[in-house]
Amino acid sequence: MADLAIANPRAPKRPAARRSNFELYSWLFMRISGLALIILVLGHLLIMNILDGGVHRINWGFVAGRWASPFWQFWDLAMLWLAEIHGGNGLRTIIDDYARKDSTRFWLKILLYVSMVLILAVGTMVIFTFDPNMPAN
């Protein structure tokens, strides 16, 4: 007699695809980088705009003196990288939420990633190759 047992219709026919935790790590990064940016940006604003005469003292010599210290180079580099990646991640989420066509989403993300890499590269280069002995004109 033929086997009349019916297979469980809810059983998966193939193994489930492995899920990535990218969105979880992205969410965590946004929270942690946001807290770090609050400290970095408020410290930057306090030093640049409030203490010791405020913005009136900012000139070539001030920036040259500040970037002569590895501490301030790291501070500004961390602020640049965290702000760029934090903002880029936010824009990536917005693109995913509002771009309807896959091709539009793809090209907007390519444009976003290329602009992020260019800004990070130029900003990092400026911080590390700044020459305080260059004449200020």
Side-chain angles (χ1 to χ4, degrees):
M1 187 169 192
D3 188 4
L4 296 177
I6 298 176
N8 185 354
R10 297 186 193 275
K13 297 193 186 324
R14 60 183 170 186
R18 296 192 62 118
R19 294 185 62 196
S20 168
N21 285 330
F22 177 75
E23 289 300 327
L24 171 65
Y25 295 137
S26 173
W27 183 86
L28 282 172
F29 172 77
M30 292 298 276
R31 273 55 187 180
I32 294 168
S33 66
L35 291 173
L37 280 168
I38 288 172
I39 294 167
L40 290 170
V41 170
L42 289 179
H44 177 80
L45 290 173
L46 178 70
I47 292 163
M48 300 299 274
N49 297 331
I50 298 172
L51 298 179
D52 295 332
V55 295
H56 300 293
R57 69 186 162 99
I58 298 174
N59 57 22
W60 180 269
F62 178 80
V63 174
R66 183 179 160 119
W67 280 353
S69 165
F71 175 80
W72 290 117
Q73 282 182 327
F74 176 76
W75 183 287
D76 288 346
L77 186 70
M79 195 167 46
L80 169 71
W81 276 75
L82 283 175
E84 184 68 33
I85 296 171
H86 183 95
N89 191 31
L91 282 173
R92 180 193 60 83
T93 304
I94 290 170
I95 290 169
D96 283 341
D97 287 347
Y98 290 103
R100 293 186 180 167
K101 292 172 39 180
D102 287 339
S103 61
T104 304
R105 188 176 304 114
F106 172 79
W107 287 111
L108 286 173
K109 284 185 180 180
I110 291 294
L111 185 62
L112 172 65
Y113 297 147
V114 167
S115 67
M116 286 176 64
V117 167
L118 288 174
I119 290 169
L120 286 174
V122 170
T124 302
M125 185 184 71
V126 166
I127 290 173
F128 286 121
T129 63
F130 181 78
D131 182 10
N133 298 319
M134 191 167 83
N137 291 333

